[in-house]
């Protein structure tokens, strides 16, 4: 069996509800999944013995169609599983609604150019042994209702542990990437349960310290509502009694089962994904020691072809030693600009081909692409359309992209609003909204725009990684001071801030600052002082890309969390 070569070495098991590897595998919805994939790619490059565990998501997240008014229509998004994965001869059983549900696994192997190889297991319940209602549990990412979500999390956490055990893996640490996989801790409690005759205490039979020593938890969500919570009545109905109810409430909260609390209480190491997010998380969960390991991106994946050629010429070794980006100053200005123009033409040609928008190569192009939801404030730039027209007529074109969750009505209305403004401004400022944002489109966008815009309400940006991808391609950021940008921002050198370092956002002040920076600083530099603009592009590479990458991040996890 192809898995055998990976069983020989003890590994770190990295659990994530979504893992994005390549665009053709629809196993991700956005930032969390892309980060997971980038993490595992860097681990393969660095030959860190890890293994990824996720669900197969046969029908993907969804394929987004936008009608002429910007109304979102969702379609299933199946993919060719057998083209990319190998079915493993393994099956385990989990209990759902007191019935057996069988879980199997498919294997994908990341093959690094360094020679490193890293396995990822994609768990699957769509097999003949299961009742029809359970075969669909691994079909949709973030689909269905609360019951569907709970059943999926049982498959991921408990099924994942059982599959690893059945395949013969020795696991040194279990890393939970968010709370979706926290049920793995309950399976571990069962595995390390002591005999009552040994401890003579109902409480001490549960070896909490042993489990804690094995577990690491990364939280990504600075919004309380974003942490999965389930009523205990539903837990008892769906999951049964994995551990006694009194113990579960002690570990996961009294009122409802909070998956984050469950993970926190059974992990030795907990971290947020930026220094600011660490502070926010400690306020949300007082009494817990939360560390900061700022996110990064996989440099080789997200650097565009023109910049790969450029870096290979002037920064040899950059792909596996991203710290070499600090030497970006040695790249000649004309060659840097030429690489950017190549990436920009690639993007503009793509946009014009699918939208007929007739964008041009020379106009300053703003990129904004992320999940469409109100707190991300995709509409901040268009909040005063007269002001935008005055500043941007003939000088600005804007490319939007992003999906709204099927149940996020506010996010859907946001897309429709952008379509309305697009129509109103069509003779002054060209605006496009690209449908079905995915990895392939993101690769074009982060490299081809002239500036990357990010303006969520503070403090709701845990980290943000799309701006890091832009920096890797010499694209400066224009962002609120939240998440990673607080650490990467040097005003006028690596990009620009929107607003101040105050804890919360003032929408009117943010809009005013955004328009002021564009009209008074950014556009004059771009059009009238190309020499300084290219210096800022170099700074984005030398001061941001060298640090905000998953090679640095994975090394931090190894030294801070894994070898403790």
């Amino acid at each position: 069996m192809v898995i055998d070569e990976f069983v020989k070495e003890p590994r770190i098991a990295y659990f994530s509800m979504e893992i994005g590897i390549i665009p053709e595998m629809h196993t991700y919805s956005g930032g969390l999944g892309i980060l997971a994939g980038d993490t595992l790619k860097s681990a393969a490059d660095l030959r860190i013995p890890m293994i990824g565990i996720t669900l197969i998501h046969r029908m993907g997240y969804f394929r987004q169609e936008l009608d002429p008014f910007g109304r979102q229509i969702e379609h299933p998004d199946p993919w060719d599983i057998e083209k990319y994965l190998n079915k493993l001869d393994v099956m385990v059983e989990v209990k759902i609604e007191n019935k057996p549900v069988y879980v199997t696994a498919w294997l994908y192997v990341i093959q690094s150019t360094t020679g490193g190889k890293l396995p990822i297991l994609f768990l699957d319940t769509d097999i003949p042994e299961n009742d029809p209602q359970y075969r669909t549990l691994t079909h949709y990412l973030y689909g269905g209702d609360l019951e569907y979500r709970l059943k999926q999390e049982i498959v991921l956490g408990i099924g994942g542990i059982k599959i690893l055990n059945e395949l013969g893996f020795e696991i040194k640490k279990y890393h939970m990437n968010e709370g979706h996989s926290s049920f793995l801790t309950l399976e571990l409690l069962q595995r390390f349960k002591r005999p009552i005759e040994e401890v003579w205490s109902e409480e001490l039979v549960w070896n909490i310290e042993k489990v804690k020593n094995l577990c690491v938890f990364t939280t990504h969500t600075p919004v309380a509502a974003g942490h999965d919570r389930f009523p205990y009545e539903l837990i008892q109905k769906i999951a049964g009694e994995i551990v006694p109810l009194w113990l579960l409430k002690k570990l996961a909260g009294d009122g409802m089962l909070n998956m984050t609390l469950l993970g926190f209480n059974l992990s030795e190491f907990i971290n947020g994904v930026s220094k600011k997010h660490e502070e926010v998380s400690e306020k949300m969960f007082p009494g817990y020691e939360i560390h900061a390991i700022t996110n990064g991106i996989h440099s080789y994946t997200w650097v565009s072809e023109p910049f790969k050629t450029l870096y290979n010429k002037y920064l040899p070794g950059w792909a596996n030693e991203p710290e070499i980006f600090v030497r970006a100053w040695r790249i000649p200005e004309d060659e840097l600009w030429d690489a950017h123009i190549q990436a920009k033409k690639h993007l503009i040609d793509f946009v014009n081909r699918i939208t007929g928008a007739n964008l041009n190569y020379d106009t300053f192009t703003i990129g904004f692409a992320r999940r469409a939801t109100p707190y991300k404030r995709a509409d901040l730039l268009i909040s005063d359309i007269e002001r935008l027209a005055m500043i941007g007529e003939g000088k600005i074109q804007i490319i939007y992209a992003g999906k709204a969750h099927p149940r996020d009505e506010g996010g859907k209305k946001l897309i429709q609003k952008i379509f309305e403004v697009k129509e109103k401004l069509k003779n002054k400022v060209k605006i496009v909204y690209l449908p079905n944002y995915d990895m392939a489109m993101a690769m074009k966008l982060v490299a081809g725009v002239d500036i990357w815009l990010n303006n969520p309400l503070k403090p709701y940006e845990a980290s943000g990684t799309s701006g890091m991808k832009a920096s890797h391609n010499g694209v400066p950021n224009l962002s609120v001071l939240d998440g990673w940008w607080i650490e990467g921002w040097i005003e006028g050198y690596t990009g620009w801030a929107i607003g101040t370092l105050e804890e919360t956002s003032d929408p009117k002040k943010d809009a005013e600052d955004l328009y002021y920076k564009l009209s008074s600083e950014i556009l004059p530099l771009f059009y009238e002082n190309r020499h300084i603009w290219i210096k800022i592009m170099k700074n984005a590479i030398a001061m941001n890309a060298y640090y905000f990458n998953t090679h640095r991040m994975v090394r931090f996890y190894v030294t801070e969390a894994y070898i403790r």
Side-chain angles (χ1 to χ4, degrees), residues 462-486:
S463 178
T465 54
S466 59
M468 301 173 187
K469 299 176 179 94
S471 293
H472 272 70
N473 291 281
V475 173
N477 277 261
L478 174 60
S479 176
V480 299
L481 289 167
D482 200 9
W484 84 279
W485 188 232
I486 298 174

PDB file of all heavy atoms in Angstrom, residues 462-486:
ATOM      1  N   ALA A 462      -8.696  38.372  11.950  1.00  0.00           N
ATOM      2  CA  ALA A 462      -7.759  37.620  12.788  1.00  0.00           C
ATOM      3  C   ALA A 462      -6.339  37.761  12.258  1.00  0.00           C
ATOM      4  O   ALA A 462      -5.402  38.035  13.002  1.00  0.00           O
ATOM      5  CB  ALA A 462      -8.164  36.156  12.843  1.00  0.00           C
ATOM      6  N   SER A 463      -6.186  37.577  10.954  1.00  0.00           N
ATOM      7  CA  SER A 463      -4.867  37.740  10.338  1.00  0.00           C
ATOM      8  C   SER A 463      -5.023  38.320   8.943  1.00  0.00           C
ATOM      9  O   SER A 463      -4.675  39.447   8.670  1.00  0.00           O
ATOM     10  CB  SER A 463      -4.123  36.404  10.285  1.00  0.00           C
ATOM     11  OG  SER A 463      -2.879  36.564   9.645  1.00  0.00           O
ATOM     12  N   GLY A 464      -5.597  37.522   8.033  1.00  0.00           N
ATOM     13  CA  GLY A 464      -5.678  37.936   6.633  1.00  0.00           C
ATOM     14  C   GLY A 464      -4.421  37.476   5.913  1.00  0.00           C
ATOM     15  O   GLY A 464      -3.315  37.765   6.361  1.00  0.00           O
ATOM     16  N   THR A 465      -4.579  36.740   4.831  1.00  0.00           N
ATOM     17  CA  THR A 465      -3.395  36.263   4.107  1.00  0.00           C
ATOM     18  C   THR A 465      -3.357  36.731   2.656  1.00  0.00           C
ATOM     19  O   THR A 465      -2.316  36.626   2.017  1.00  0.00           O
ATOM     20  CB  THR A 465      -3.302  34.725   4.138  1.00  0.00           C
ATOM     21  OG1 THR A 465      -4.535  34.176   3.663  1.00  0.00           O
ATOM     22  CG2 THR A 465      -3.034  34.212   5.546  1.00  0.00           C
ATOM     23  N   SER A 466      -4.473  37.243   2.136  1.00  0.00           N
ATOM     24  CA  SER A 466      -4.469  37.662   0.729  1.00  0.00           C
ATOM     25  C   SER A 466      -3.493  38.811   0.509  1.00  0.00           C
ATOM     26  O   SER A 466      -2.812  38.864  -0.521  1.00  0.00           O
ATOM     27  CB  SER A 466      -5.876  38.065   0.282  1.00  0.00           C
ATOM     28  OG  SER A 466      -6.383  39.128   1.065  1.00  0.00           O
ATOM     29  N   GLY A 467      -3.379  39.716   1.492  1.00  0.00           N
ATOM     30  CA  GLY A 467      -2.424  40.811   1.366  1.00  0.00           C
ATOM     31  C   GLY A 467      -0.985  40.339   1.366  1.00  0.00           C
ATOM     32  O   GLY A 467      -0.113  40.951   0.735  1.00  0.00           O
ATOM     33  N   MET A 468      -0.724  39.233   2.073  1.00  0.00           N
ATOM     34  CA  MET A 468       0.629  38.642   2.049  1.00  0.00           C
ATOM     35  C   MET A 468       0.945  38.111   0.648  1.00  0.00           C
ATOM     36  O   MET A 468       2.080  38.225   0.167  1.00  0.00           O
ATOM     37  CB  MET A 468       0.720  37.496   3.062  1.00  0.00           C
ATOM     38  CG  MET A 468       0.433  37.876   4.502  1.00  0.00           C
ATOM     39  SD  MET A 468       0.367  36.376   5.531  1.00  0.00           S
ATOM     40  CE  MET A 468      -0.183  37.053   7.092  1.00  0.00           C
ATOM     41  N   LYS A 469      -0.068  37.522   0.005  1.00  0.00           N
ATOM     42  CA  LYS A 469       0.122  37.008  -1.356  1.00  0.00           C
ATOM     43  C   LYS A 469       0.445  38.156  -2.308  1.00  0.00           C
ATOM     44  O   LYS A 469       1.287  38.022  -3.198  1.00  0.00           O
ATOM     45  CB  LYS A 469      -1.129  36.265  -1.806  1.00  0.00           C
ATOM     46  CG  LYS A 469      -1.472  35.056  -0.936  1.00  0.00           C
ATOM     47  CD  LYS A 469      -2.782  34.411  -1.353  1.00  0.00           C
ATOM     48  CE  LYS A 469      -3.093  33.189  -0.504  1.00  0.00           C
ATOM     49  NZ  LYS A 469      -3.938  33.453   0.645  1.00  0.00           N
ATOM     50  N   ALA A 470      -0.248  39.287  -2.124  1.00  0.00           N
ATOM     51  CA  ALA A 470       0.025  40.467  -2.954  1.00  0.00           C
ATOM     52  C   ALA A 470       1.466  40.933  -2.759  1.00  0.00           C
ATOM     53  O   ALA A 470       2.187  41.200  -3.734  1.00  0.00           O
ATOM     54  CB  ALA A 470      -0.967  41.576  -2.605  1.00  0.00           C
ATOM     55  N   SER A 471       1.906  41.017  -1.503  1.00  0.00           N
ATOM     56  CA  SER A 471       3.273  41.465  -1.208  1.00  0.00           C
ATOM     57  C   SER A 471       4.313  40.595  -1.896  1.00  0.00           C
ATOM     58  O   SER A 471       5.339  41.090  -2.360  1.00  0.00           O
ATOM     59  CB  SER A 471       3.533  41.437   0.300  1.00  0.00           C
ATOM     60  OG  SER A 471       2.757  42.401   0.974  1.00  0.00           O
ATOM     61  N   HIS A 472       4.062  39.306  -1.970  1.00  0.00           N
ATOM     62  CA  HIS A 472       4.997  38.391  -2.633  1.00  0.00           C
ATOM     63  C   HIS A 472       5.158  38.709  -4.119  1.00  0.00           C
ATOM     64  O   HIS A 472       6.130  38.291  -4.742  1.00  0.00           O
ATOM     65  CB  HIS A 472       4.529  36.942  -2.476  1.00  0.00           C
ATOM     66  CG  HIS A 472       5.010  36.275  -1.230  1.00  0.00           C
ATOM     67  ND1 HIS A 472       4.566  36.611   0.030  1.00  0.00           N
ATOM     68  CD2 HIS A 472       5.925  35.282  -1.032  1.00  0.00           C
ATOM     69  CE1 HIS A 472       5.165  35.845   0.930  1.00  0.00           C
ATOM     70  NE2 HIS A 472       5.999  35.032   0.311  1.00  0.00           N
ATOM     71  N   ASN A 473       4.182  39.422  -4.676  1.00  0.00           N
ATOM     72  CA  ASN A 473       4.231  39.807  -6.085  1.00  0.00           C
ATOM     73  C   ASN A 473       4.494  41.305  -6.259  1.00  0.00           C
ATOM     74  O   ASN A 473       4.206  41.864  -7.322  1.00  0.00           O
ATOM     75  CB  ASN A 473       2.923  39.400  -6.763  1.00  0.00           C
ATOM     76  CG  ASN A 473       2.782  37.899  -6.886  1.00  0.00           C
ATOM     77  OD1 ASN A 473       3.368  37.285  -7.773  1.00  0.00           O
ATOM     78  ND2 ASN A 473       2.033  37.290  -5.975  1.00  0.00           N
ATOM     79  N   GLY A 474       5.044  41.931  -5.210  1.00  0.00           N
ATOM     80  CA  GLY A 474       5.397  43.341  -5.293  1.00  0.00           C
ATOM     81  C   GLY A 474       4.213  44.283  -5.296  1.00  0.00           C
ATOM     82  O   GLY A 474       4.347  45.450  -5.686  1.00  0.00           O
ATOM     83  N   VAL A 475       3.048  43.812  -4.863  1.00  0.00           N
ATOM     84  CA  VAL A 475       1.844  44.652  -4.832  1.00  0.00           C
ATOM     85  C   VAL A 475       1.669  45.219  -3.428  1.00  0.00           C
ATOM     86  O   VAL A 475       1.522  44.461  -2.468  1.00  0.00           O
ATOM     87  CB  VAL A 475       0.596  43.848  -5.249  1.00  0.00           C
ATOM     88  CG1 VAL A 475      -0.676  44.662  -5.065  1.00  0.00           C
ATOM     89  CG2 VAL A 475       0.725  43.387  -6.703  1.00  0.00           C
ATOM     90  N   PRO A 476       1.690  46.558  -3.269  1.00  0.00           N
ATOM     91  CA  PRO A 476       1.525  47.153  -1.934  1.00  0.00           C
ATOM     92  C   PRO A 476       0.102  46.963  -1.405  1.00  0.00           C
ATOM     93  O   PRO A 476      -0.839  46.754  -2.174  1.00  0.00           O
ATOM     94  CB  PRO A 476       1.817  48.646  -2.165  1.00  0.00           C
ATOM     95  CG  PRO A 476       2.453  48.738  -3.511  1.00  0.00           C
ATOM     96  CD  PRO A 476       1.944  47.567  -4.295  1.00  0.00           C
ATOM     97  N   ASN A 477      -0.040  47.053  -0.093  1.00  0.00           N
ATOM     98  CA  ASN A 477      -1.344  46.930   0.571  1.00  0.00           C
ATOM     99  C   ASN A 477      -1.882  48.293   0.985  1.00  0.00           C
ATOM    100  O   ASN A 477      -1.117  49.186   1.366  1.00  0.00           O
ATOM    101  CB  ASN A 477      -1.221  46.054   1.818  1.00  0.00           C
ATOM    102  CG  ASN A 477      -1.282  44.566   1.506  1.00  0.00           C
ATOM    103  OD1 ASN A 477      -2.313  43.938   1.654  1.00  0.00           O
ATOM    104  ND2 ASN A 477      -0.166  44.002   1.058  1.00  0.00           N
ATOM    105  N   LEU A 478      -3.183  48.412   0.927  1.00  0.00           N
ATOM    106  CA  LEU A 478      -3.929  49.544   1.492  1.00  0.00           C
ATOM    107  C   LEU A 478      -4.966  48.915   2.402  1.00  0.00           C
ATOM    108  O   LEU A 478      -5.937  48.327   1.937  1.00  0.00           O
ATOM    109  CB  LEU A 478      -4.583  50.364   0.378  1.00  0.00           C
ATOM    110  CG  LEU A 478      -5.529  51.498   0.797  1.00  0.00           C
ATOM    111  CD1 LEU A 478      -4.809  52.537   1.655  1.00  0.00           C
ATOM    112  CD2 LEU A 478      -6.155  52.162  -0.429  1.00  0.00           C
ATOM    113  N   SER A 479      -4.728  48.987   3.719  1.00  0.00           N
ATOM    114  CA  SER A 479      -5.506  48.146   4.636  1.00  0.00           C
ATOM    115  C   SER A 479      -5.736  48.829   5.974  1.00  0.00           C
ATOM    116  O   SER A 479      -4.945  49.685   6.392  1.00  0.00           O
ATOM    117  CB  SER A 479      -4.756  46.824   4.868  1.00  0.00           C
ATOM    118  OG  SER A 479      -5.413  46.019   5.817  1.00  0.00           O
ATOM    119  N   VAL A 480      -6.827  48.426   6.649  1.00  0.00           N
ATOM    120  CA  VAL A 480      -7.029  48.862   8.026  1.00  0.00           C
ATOM    121  C   VAL A 480      -5.975  48.197   8.907  1.00  0.00           C
ATOM    122  O   VAL A 480      -5.433  47.142   8.573  1.00  0.00           O
ATOM    123  CB  VAL A 480      -8.435  48.515   8.547  1.00  0.00           C
ATOM    124  CG1 VAL A 480      -9.516  49.201   7.723  1.00  0.00           C
ATOM    125  CG2 VAL A 480      -8.667  47.019   8.594  1.00  0.00           C
ATOM    126  N   LEU A 481      -5.709  48.825  10.044  1.00  0.00           N
ATOM    127  CA  LEU A 481      -4.672  48.315  10.949  1.00  0.00           C
ATOM    128  C   LEU A 481      -5.270  47.257  11.868  1.00  0.00           C
ATOM    129  O   LEU A 481      -5.668  47.518  12.996  1.00  0.00           O
ATOM    130  CB  LEU A 481      -4.048  49.479  11.725  1.00  0.00           C
ATOM    131  CG  LEU A 481      -3.175  50.380  10.837  1.00  0.00           C
ATOM    132  CD1 LEU A 481      -2.836  51.678  11.549  1.00  0.00           C
ATOM    133  CD2 LEU A 481      -1.917  49.646  10.401  1.00  0.00           C
ATOM    134  N   ASP A 482      -5.334  46.065  11.319  1.00  0.00           N
ATOM    135  CA  ASP A 482      -5.859  44.915  12.040  1.00  0.00           C
ATOM    136  C   ASP A 482      -5.132  43.689  11.506  1.00  0.00           C
ATOM    137  O   ASP A 482      -4.505  43.726  10.443  1.00  0.00           O
ATOM    138  CB  ASP A 482      -7.374  44.796  11.801  1.00  0.00           C
ATOM    139  CG  ASP A 482      -8.078  43.957  12.859  1.00  0.00           C
ATOM    140  OD1 ASP A 482      -7.432  43.603  13.869  1.00  0.00           O
ATOM    141  OD2 ASP A 482      -9.278  43.657  12.692  1.00  0.00           O
ATOM    142  N   GLY A 483      -5.189  42.580  12.266  1.00  0.00           N
ATOM    143  CA  GLY A 483      -4.567  41.346  11.799  1.00  0.00           C
ATOM    144  C   GLY A 483      -3.086  41.520  11.510  1.00  0.00           C
ATOM    145  O   GLY A 483      -2.360  42.206  12.226  1.00  0.00           O
ATOM    146  N   TRP A 484      -2.636  40.891  10.437  1.00  0.00           N
ATOM    147  CA  TRP A 484      -1.206  40.884  10.100  1.00  0.00           C
ATOM    148  C   TRP A 484      -0.683  42.254   9.714  1.00  0.00           C
ATOM    149  O   TRP A 484       0.505  42.531   9.878  1.00  0.00           O
ATOM    150  CB  TRP A 484      -0.947  39.904   8.956  1.00  0.00           C
ATOM    151  CG  TRP A 484      -1.201  40.483   7.582  1.00  0.00           C
ATOM    152  CD1 TRP A 484      -2.408  40.618   6.960  1.00  0.00           C
ATOM    153  CD2 TRP A 484      -0.226  41.020   6.682  1.00  0.00           C
ATOM    154  NE1 TRP A 484      -2.256  41.202   5.727  1.00  0.00           N
ATOM    155  CE2 TRP A 484      -0.915  41.457   5.522  1.00  0.00           C
ATOM    156  CE3 TRP A 484       1.167  41.176   6.721  1.00  0.00           C
ATOM    157  CZ2 TRP A 484      -0.283  42.035   4.428  1.00  0.00           C
ATOM    158  CZ3 TRP A 484       1.801  41.751   5.624  1.00  0.00           C
ATOM    159  CH2 TRP A 484       1.080  42.181   4.497  1.00  0.00           C
ATOM    160  N   TRP A 485      -1.550  43.134   9.181  1.00  0.00           N
ATOM    161  CA  TRP A 485      -1.062  44.388   8.605  1.00  0.00           C
ATOM    162  C   TRP A 485      -0.451  45.311   9.661  1.00  0.00           C
ATOM    163  O   TRP A 485       0.419  46.120   9.367  1.00  0.00           O
ATOM    164  CB  TRP A 485      -2.182  45.083   7.831  1.00  0.00           C
ATOM    165  CG  TRP A 485      -1.743  46.286   7.033  1.00  0.00           C
ATOM    166  CD1 TRP A 485      -2.290  47.529   7.074  1.00  0.00           C
ATOM    167  CD2 TRP A 485      -0.678  46.364   6.074  1.00  0.00           C
ATOM    168  NE1 TRP A 485      -1.646  48.381   6.210  1.00  0.00           N
ATOM    169  CE2 TRP A 485      -0.646  47.687   5.581  1.00  0.00           C
ATOM    170  CE3 TRP A 485       0.259  45.450   5.587  1.00  0.00           C
ATOM    171  CZ2 TRP A 485       0.277  48.114   4.629  1.00  0.00           C
ATOM    172  CZ3 TRP A 485       1.183  45.874   4.640  1.00  0.00           C
ATOM    173  CH2 TRP A 485       1.188  47.184   4.170  1.00  0.00           C
ATOM    174  N   ILE A 486      -0.880  45.172  10.912  1.00  0.00           N
ATOM    175  CA  ILE A 486      -0.251  45.955  11.984  1.00  0.00           C
ATOM    176  C   ILE A 486       1.243  45.623  12.050  1.00  0.00           C
ATOM    177  O   ILE A 486       2.079  46.497  12.282  1.00  0.00           O
ATOM    178  CB  ILE A 486      -0.921  45.665  13.346  1.00  0.00           C
ATOM    179  CG1 ILE A 486      -2.393  46.086  13.311  1.00  0.00           C
ATOM    180  CG2 ILE A 486      -0.193  46.387  14.482  1.00  0.00           C
ATOM    181  CD1 ILE A 486      -3.169  45.699  14.561  1.00  0.00           C
TER     182      ILE A 486
END
